């Protein structure tokens, strides 16, 4: 066909993908570059077939820290794929997902945020609204926003992820726990949302219990830490059962090797505070009595 033929370029692209699968990133990079050198002389309608090569080369470059060049390749892929009127919805959404990654690694948060929202909208017609993938997309964006301090904007995305996981009788527990914990971290700073915060916390612990076992040591410090926060907010009746459960887990896991003094003092303090509080509901005094 000659060195500059599209078929030669496409074959080079396939060879690059194989080399990458074999772990030969340097060989793959050069082969992709050879393919794209041919593609640069071809019209956009032919270049559509080279978008995978661009995206794979971008992944190699991102690993090497060449983020500017990776971004150019992903954006060019996105531009060409968008020229086609229909049939590439998934590929466009996946390219936007890759763009989010490149922009996030580059520290270009405003551009990454815009790309994230485009990505979610692009995936919307591809996956069912209550599917596991839809939940994962909402969770990913919600956590991304929360990590950047945008808790108000993150909340509806985290709530939507939690809503979808709650519909599933057997959700992916690691993702469900991450969604619940993200929502919990948003709610715990709001005094007016404390009832929901307590409920979500118990749900988080239940999800972690499904993953690691209900007596796993990972759970105990969370119980004691949240109990401390509740007691500081005059909710000793909610805090006491958490301290009791935390002590139980520590004792079961560590036996006589664990010094329970500080936790028992915490429990004693919480109980005394509850006993001395006036005009509480009878059920709250019963917590202290037990």
């Amino acid at each position: 066909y000659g060195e500059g033929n599209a078929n030669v370029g496409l074959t080079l692209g396939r060879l690059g993908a194989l080399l990458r699968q074999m772990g030969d990133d340097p060989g793959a990079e050069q082969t992709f570059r050879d393919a794209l050198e041919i593609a640069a002389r071809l019209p956009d309608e032919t270049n559509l077939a080279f978008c995978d090569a661009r995206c794979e080369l971008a992944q190699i470059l991102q690993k090497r820290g060449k983020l500017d060049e990776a971004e150019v390749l992903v954006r060019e892929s996105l531009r060409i794929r968008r020229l086609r009127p229909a049939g590439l919805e998934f590929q466009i959404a996946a390219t936007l997902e890759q763009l989010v990654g490149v922009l996030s690694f580059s520290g270009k948060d405003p551009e990454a945020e815009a790309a994230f929202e485009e990505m979610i909208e692009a995936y919307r017609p591809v996956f069912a609204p209550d599917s596991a993938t839809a939940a994962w997309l909402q969770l990913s964006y919600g956590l991304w926003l929360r990590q950047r301090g945008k808790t108000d904007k993150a909340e509806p995305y985290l709530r939507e992820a939690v809503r979808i996981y709650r519909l599933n009788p057997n959700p992916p527990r690691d993702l469900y726990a991450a969604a619940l914990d993200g929502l919990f971290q948003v709610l715990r700073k709001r005094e007016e949302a404390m009832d929901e915060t307590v409920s979500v916390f118990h749900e988080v612990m239940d999800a972690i219990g499904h993953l690691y076992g209900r007596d796993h040591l990972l759970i105990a410090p969370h119980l004691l830490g949240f109990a401390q926060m509740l007691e500081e907010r005059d909710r000793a009746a909610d805090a006491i059962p958490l301290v009791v459960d935390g002590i139980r887990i520590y004792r079961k896991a560590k036996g006589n090797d664990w010094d329970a003094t500080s936790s028992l003092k915490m429990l004693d303090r919480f109980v005394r505070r509850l006993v001395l509080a006036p005009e509480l509901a009878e059920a709250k005094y019963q917590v202290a009595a037990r």
Side-chain angles (χ1 to χ4, degrees):
Y1 293 107
E3 290 295 329
N5 186 273
N7 290 312
V8 175
L10 291 173
T11 306
L12 284 167
R14 296 189 186 102
L15 176 58
L18 286 168
L19 290 169
R20 187 163 176 249
Q21 288 173 24
M22 293 165 64
D24 181 7
D25 277 4
E29 179 180 344
Q30 186 55 56
T31 307
F32 283 135
R33 289 190 185 279
D34 293 341
L36 294 178
E37 187 178 338
I38 294 172
R41 299 190 290 270
L42 300 172
D44 279 343
E45 58 269 20
T46 306
N47 252 292
L48 184 64
F50 289 85
C51 285
D52 286 344
R54 285 187 180 84
C55 289
E56 288 213 55
L57 177 56
Q59 289 173 4
I60 294 171
L61 294 173
Q62 183 174 332
K63 281 170 59 179
R64 291 180 53 201
K66 293 190 171 184
L67 299 172
D68 289 343
E69 189 180 358
E71 181 184 342
V72 169
L73 287 165
V74 176
R75 286 193 183 278
E76 180 65 1
S77 251
L78 187 60
R79 182 190 70 79
I80 292 169
R81 280 173 167 158
R82 279 176 163 163
L83 292 175
R84 183 154 174 181
L88 291 179
E89 290 81 4
F90 177 82
Q91 288 89 339
I92 289 170
T95 309
L96 282 164
E97 186 175 350
Q98 186 175 357
L99 181 60
V100 168
V102 174
L103 292 171
S104 295
F105 273 107
S106 301
K108 298 179 178 179
D109 283 357
E111 293 176 65
E113 188 172 336
F116 229 132
E117 291 177 5
E118 276 191 84
M119 179 193 82
I120 289 173
E121 287 305 310
Y123 270 130
R124 204 176 295 280
V126 178
F127 298 107
D130 292 336
S131 66
T133 304
W136 178 82
L137 291 167
Q138 300 289 324
L139 169 62
S140 297
Y141 191 34
L143 292 179
W144 189 91
L145 288 167
R146 192 184 73 76
Q147 287 164 2
R148 285 153 180 81
K150 297 192 171 187
T151 53
D152 288 343
K153 189 171 182 179
E155 183 177 349
Y157 294 98
L158 293 169
R159 284 190 181 280
E160 180 63 7
V162 169
R163 182 192 71 79
I164 296 171
Y165 287 134
R166 281 173 175 162
L167 293 175
N168 188 336
N170 187 27
R173 293 289 169 178
D174 53 344
L175 298 178
Y176 188 19
L180 287 165
D181 184 61
L183 181 58
F184 168 71
Q185 299 300 335
V186 170
L187 293 172
R188 67 183 298 178
K189 298 177 182 178
R190 299 180 187 167
E191 295 288 342
E192 74 280 4
M194 197 50 62
D195 286 342
E196 185 183 9
T197 306
V198 173
S199 175
V200 171
F201 176 80
H202 283 290
E203 212 174 338
V204 174
M205 292 299 100
D206 185 59
I208 293 175
H210 273 82
L211 283 170
Y212 302 110
R214 298 185 184 279
D215 294 334
H216 196 281
L217 270 175
L218 174 70
I219 295 175
H222 290 283
L223 293 169
L224 296 178
F226 189 49
Q228 181 70 48
M229 192 193 86
L230 288 173
E231 195 269 344
E232 289 168 359
R233 286 164 171 74
D234 296 322
R235 299 189 63 126
D238 292 320
I240 287 170
L242 301 182
V243 179
V244 171
D245 211 25
I247 291 172
R248 178 190 63 77
I249 292 170
Y250 272 126
R251 278 181 168 160
K252 183 172 182 179
K254 296 192 173 186
N256 294 330
D257 295 332
W258 179 61
D259 183 0
T261 305
S262 62
S263 296
L264 290 170
K265 283 182 177 179
M266 177 192 290
L267 181 59
D268 178 63
R269 187 173 74 252
F270 290 5
V271 170
R272 288 175 184 274
R273 180 170 182 178
L274 191 58
V275 167
L276 295 173
E279 299 178 0
L280 298 181
E282 176 67 20
K284 293 190 176 183
Y285 293 117
Q286 289 299 327
V287 170
R290 285 196 298 273

